[in-house]
Amino acid sequence: MKVRIEQGDITKVAADAVVVNLFEGVTAPGGGTGAVDAALGGAIRQVIAAGDLRGKAGELVTIHTLGRMPAPRVLVAGLGPQAEFDIDAVRNVAANVVRALRKPGIRRVATIAHGAGIGGLDPAACAQAIAEGSILGGYRFVKHKSNPGDEATGIEEVVIVEFDGGKVGAMERAAERGSILAEATNLARDMANEPSNHLTPTMLAERAAALARDVGMEFEVLERADMERKGMGSLLSVAKGSVEPPKLIRMGYRGRGGDGWDLALVGKGITFDTGGISIKPAANMEAMKADMTGAASVITAAWALARLGAKVNVLAIAPCTENMPSGSATKPGDVVTAMNGRTIEVINTDAEGRLVLADAICWANELGAKRIVDVATLTGAVTTALGDVCYALMTNDDAFCRKVEEAAAAAGEKTWRLPMWKEYDEYIKSDVADCRNVGAGNRGAGTIVGAKFLEPFAGKTPWVHMDIAGVDNMSADKGWVTKGASGYSVRAMINLGLALAAE
């Protein structure tokens, strides 16, 4: 899908559908909606008067133009109360509209900039949100369906029609930025939705290499022998049970030039997680194909920052392997040594994500990262704590975490910071090693324990841990979020990189 800006009159645009809007309680629409109403001889006001259109959030009403406009149909989108309308709502309206218009015969849609009129929002911000929402809302994963039918039908072009030519330039730049953010998110969704036999660590590395070539990024992959030489016993302990070779992916983008890395994005890449010897129950195990969502997210976020030309130096590091049970697999009670020399008693082989992240974070430090964000589908405990509404953040640096929170909020993603008090260090103490990979006894705080395990590997480098396990996969479409892989964290990390570049 392409999103572009066009200066003109919404009533005169040739499209398969025209989209306007209505705030709740408005009975005599103005602006672009009023212009369309006039062109239709008051049809919108008649529908309002009949009680079929009230402007409630999520409401979508189609009116056929019967030749009174070039477009054969007009879709009126309810915006809800004006006082509650914001950029997040613009993004969700755009997504809902695209889904509602997904039908044969609708390829080109023209829309006014929701919120940029009496809504009082910045027109450029609205254009970016419409681009993001349209592309994210139109996403479907039908690659492996031999006859996808209408599911494969999609809108090819969304045109935002702006009457004031003086606003067009800024809106064009914003729509392009929003398109890149959404396309990166959809690429991450593609990888997370892919069955694990179609996305082994080797295949994931190949996809990352193609993206790096696309934008001229640095690229390398550490093989098993390279990891052995670096002493990455923590990561390799997870890979021992699988016949698929592990891959440690590094992508580098030097947007400001010079030495050093302003930001390292580290993502968990378990391309399938059985739990290893501590095997998971069979029910819903198929969802573990998406245990590499963190890796997909950092790969595509860094790619997007390169496409945007952000003046920031960014690393993306993705430790990728399967976690399988076999005669060679790591066993509960084994002790392994991470790259920084820290020894780990592996109590539960299903707590493997933190083991691969530990060495990846060490490598980010070795490479000179000034800040580190890691993202992972790390714990079931985060779902118990926060459900599928938001994801958890934990940190060793309050100021840096505030930047991450702001970046996530700008993406329409809710976050909640969990404490990292020193008392939680006691939970991972081991009798036979420097630490254990899960909490001792049945003391709870599983999400915090995962972060506490990772904290020493970050050392003194400002670090934020994102546990996205509760939001990585959704059961239904809702606003910009689509059923299946959600794409949470991708745009947050892109926004973070852009904010650091602006500094």
Side-chain angles (χ1 to χ4, degrees):
M1 183 190 301
K2 301 297 181 185
V3 179
R4 65 181 183 85
I5 313 297
E6 182 177 295
Q7 193 277 326
D9 183 343
I10 190 67
T11 67
K12 298 177 180 178
V13 173
D16 298 313
V18 159
V19 182
V20 293
N21 57 54
L22 189 74
F23 281 112
E24 187 172 349
V26 173
T27 57
T33 306
V36 169
D37 181 52
L40 297 179
I44 295 177
R45 278 176 293 171
Q46 291 176 34
V47 174
I48 294 170
D52 294 329
L53 174 60
R54 294 173 293 174
K56 288 187 174 293
E59 188 176 43
L60 299 168
V61 175
T62 300
I63 299 172
H64 291 277
T65 66
L66 303 177
R68 289 171 291 188
M69 284 173 52
R73 56 182 71 80
V74 169
L75 182 70
V76 187
L79 304 184
Q82 184 175 337
E84 299 175 10
F85 195 72
D86 57 16
I87 288 296
D88 289 346
V90 176
R91 194 181 289 115
N92 288 329
V93 166
N96 290 335
V97 162
V98 163
R99 278 196 288 270
L101 293 175
R102 184 189 286 118
K103 57 187 69 175
I106 299 182
R107 292 289 181 268
R108 187 173 190 264
V109 172
T111 181
I112 59 175
H114 310 299
I118 63 170
L121 301 176
D122 176 63
C126 293
Q128 176 170 336
I130 291 170
E132 289 183 28
S134 298
I135 294 170
L136 292 171
Y139 176 83
R140 280 292 181 272
F141 188 76
V142 295
K143 176 180 176 181
H144 299 291
K145 291 193 175 186
S146 56
N147 184 24
D150 288 348
E151 282 190 273
T153 300
I155 295 167
E156 296 171 357
E157 184 179 52
V158 172
V159 181
I160 304 172
V161 180
E162 173 53 50
F163 188 78
D164 185 350
K167 299 176 181 177
V168 168
M171 292 175 71
E172 285 178 335
R173 292 187 292 274
E176 181 181 6
R177 182 167 58 250
S179 296
I180 291 171
L181 267 69
E183 288 164 10
T185 305
N186 283 350
L187 283 172
R189 286 170 166 178
D190 279 345
M191 288 187 256
N193 282 324
E194 194 73 81
S196 65
N197 61 325
H198 291 268
L199 196 72
T200 63
T202 299
M203 295 170 182
L204 182 50
E206 289 168 353
R207 292 201 189 191
L211 290 174
R213 286 194 301 270
D214 177 54
V215 289
M217 297 176 72
E218 298 175 14
F219 183 81
E220 71 171 315
V221 176
L222 298 190
E223 304 291 347
R224 189 190 300 271
D226 302 313
M227 296 179 228
E228 289 172 349
R229 282 191 291 271
K230 283 187 168 292
M232 294 181 170
S234 186
L235 193 167
L236 290 170
S237 73
V238 181
K240 284 177 62 179
S242 176
V243 297
E244 292 288 344
K247 305 286 179 179
L248 182 51
I249 299 165
R250 182 186 74 83
M251 299 167 69
Y253 164 65
R254 298 187 185 273
R256 66 165 173 78
D259 297 329
W261 300 102
D262 304 305
L263 177 65
L265 305 174
V266 182
K268 171 186 171 184
I270 304 298
T271 59
F272 195 81
D273 181 21
T274 66
I277 297 298
S278 307
I279 197 163
K280 295 176 180 289
N284 302 316
M285 195 195 287
E286 70 279 0
M288 291 299 100
K289 68 180 184 179
D291 212 18
M292 37 55 65
T293 298
S297 298
V298 302
I299 288 166
T300 57
W303 170 80
L305 286 166
R307 281 193 65 190
L308 291 164
K311 303 299 182 184
V312 63
N313 289 0
V314 176
L315 276 173
I317 296 176
C320 301
T321 181
E322 292 181 337
N323 184 25
M324 300 289 285
S326 74
S328 60
T330 294
K331 306 173 293 298
D334 287 358
V335 174
V336 300
T337 304
M339 180 181 170
N340 66 349
R342 188 169 172 85
T343 57
I344 304 159
E345 183 185 10
V346 180
I347 302 296
N348 187 330
T349 65
D350 193 25
E352 84 299 329
R354 63 201 69 181
L355 295 174
V356 302
L357 287 172
D359 280 330
I361 291 170
C362 287
W363 195 30
N365 267 327
E366 181 185 73
L367 293 168
K370 297 177 183 177
R371 306 170 187 86
I372 299 172
V373 171
D374 82 74
V375 56
T377 48
L378 204 76
T379 66
V382 76
T383 306
T384 302
L386 302 176
D388 64 358
V389 173
C390 69
Y391 54 89
L393 302 179
M394 287 138 282
T395 187
N396 64 2
D397 189 284
D398 180 69
F400 182 42
C401 195
R402 285 198 299 271
K403 294 181 188 296
V404 176
E405 289 166 337
E406 291 167 2
E413 298 178 0
K414 293 180 173 63
T415 62
W416 192 258
R417 202 189 303 192
L418 295 178
M420 290 286 282
W421 297 316
K422 64 182 180 180
E423 286 83 354
Y424 289 115
D425 291 332
E426 297 294 322
Y427 285 39
I428 60 169
K429 283 190 173 179
S430 167
D431 292 333
V432 299
D434 296 331
C435 65
R436 46 191 288 152
N437 74 326
V438 294
N442 187 25
R443 303 174 71 181
T447 301
I448 297 170
V449 167
K452 272 294 177 183
F453 175 89
L454 293 172
E455 187 177 28
F457 300 98
K460 295 182 179 179
T461 305
W463 158 79
V464 172
H465 167 59
M466 295 180 172
D467 191 337
I468 63 168
V471 298
D472 72 307
N473 200 283
M474 295 297 183
S475 59
D477 295 332
K478 186 178 180 181
W480 65 265
V481 176
T482 53
K483 184 177 181 180
S486 69
Y488 266 91
S489 82
V490 177
R491 288 175 302 118
M493 288 186 285
I494 299 169
N495 287 341
L496 176 63
L498 292 173
L500 294 175
E503 293 178 359

